[in-house]
Amino acid sequence: MESPDEKQAATSTSPETALPAPSSAVRSDSPDSAATAGRSIPLHTLRNEIRVWTRDLLIAIGLALVIIVFLYQPVKVEGTSMAPLLSDQERIFINKFVYRFEPIQRGDVVVFWYPLDHSKSFIKRVVGLPGEAVEIRQGAVYVDGKIVPEPYVPPQYEDLSDFGPVRVPKDSYFVMGDHRISSNDSRVFGPVASRFIYGRAVFAYWPVDHFGSLSTIEDTAK
């Protein structure tokens, strides 16, 4: 027979043999360490990407400001001589450098110094080019004897009077407002010398419902 002391000793040694080895405790910690390391890599990458995005955004904003300041100029339209394309107090951007790279064309909406007062700026549409003969018969515009289609002039804005013919001088342009019955233009002050033309209207930004490229707005009106 076994003594009570021997049974107690045998029973007490059983839990000790069931304890996990020290190496088991190390293995149970390793998944947490791996997960922590795994999480740190994407976080570091995300921070780098944010820095790159921020840098690129600042560069883009800087380039946009340079383009606006040096290539484009905001102007405010005063009057209704270019209605319905442009309304009174409308804000637009003009391209100040476009005519350094391409010629002025018929139909361009240009901004120029008023020939009779160079402290004022006007905005009109180019109708006649250098060397051309411009004539108006009952509101219809003829250039070198051929009628010029003008879908941008609504019937209610037409001026049915006659004018000309006049020959446009070299390096000058015959300009008129689309609102013919309410426009002070080349019919009054004559052709505009190219040196007075300093930009082409390209983009409207205010009011919001006029926001967009002027060429797009004009095509829609047609």
Side-chain angles (χ1 to χ4, degrees):
M1 293 181 63
E2 298 177 353
S3 64
D5 294 338
E6 291 175 341
K7 288 184 179 180
Q8 183 62 34
T11 304
S12 62
T13 57
S14 175
E16 293 179 3
T17 57
L19 287 175
S23 60
S24 299
V26 173
R27 285 197 300 268
S28 65
D29 290 338
S30 60
D32 292 339
S33 301
T36 302
R39 284 195 300 269
S40 65
I41 295 174
L43 182 60
H44 178 69
T45 303
L46 180 60
R47 288 174 179 171
N48 284 338
E49 290 182 356
I50 291 175
R51 280 196 291 267
V52 171
W53 293 341
T54 303
R55 180 200 64 191
D56 292 346
L57 179 61
L58 292 176
I59 292 174
I61 292 174
L63 289 175
L65 290 175
V66 169
I67 291 173
I68 290 175
V69 171
F70 294 101
L71 298 183
Y72 293 90
Q73 175 181 333
V75 299
K76 180 176 69 173
V77 177
E78 295 182 353
T80 60
S81 69
M82 280 304 297
L85 178 65
L86 300 173
S87 58
D88 186 30
Q89 304 302 309
E90 185 166 347
R91 270 69 168 179
I92 65 173
F93 280 115
I94 64 171
N95 188 324
K96 298 186 294 184
F97 283 84
V98 61
Y99 294 131
R100 295 176 181 265
F101 307 104
E102 61 183 64
I104 298 173
Q105 300 180 17
R106 192 187 333 277
D108 286 357
V109 178
V110 297
V111 178
F112 56 93
W113 299 113
Y114 180 38
L116 304 182
D117 183 354
H118 297 170
S119 66
K120 299 178 181 179
S121 294
F122 276 23
I123 181 168
K124 307 292 179 183
R125 188 184 298 275
V126 174
V127 175
L129 303 179
E132 294 181 337
V134 178
E135 182 180 6
I136 302 174
R137 306 173 194 166
Q138 296 183 344
V141 176
Y142 291 80
V143 173
D144 291 339
K146 298 180 180 179
I147 192 168
V148 177
E150 296 187 296
Y152 39 78
V153 179
Q156 65 271 26
Y157 290 171
E158 292 179 353
D159 183 349
L160 301 180
S161 61
D162 297 337
F163 175 85
V166 296
R167 180 73 61 178
V168 182
K170 181 182 178 181
D171 294 329
S172 296
Y173 297 86
F174 195 93
V175 299
M176 290 196 293
D178 293 349
H179 195 175
R180 296 290 159 80
I181 57 177
S182 179
S183 175
N184 178 18
D185 49 40
S186 288
R187 294 172 294 176
V188 177
F189 52 72
V192 178
S194 59
R195 67 180 182 274
F196 294 146
I197 299 174
Y198 63 88
R200 182 175 72 192
V202 293
F203 196 88
Y205 66 92
W206 188 264
V208 177
D209 58 342
H210 286 193
F211 185 89
S213 169
L214 291 178
S215 60
T216 303
I217 295 172
E218 196 169 353
D219 291 339
T220 303
K222 294 178 184 179

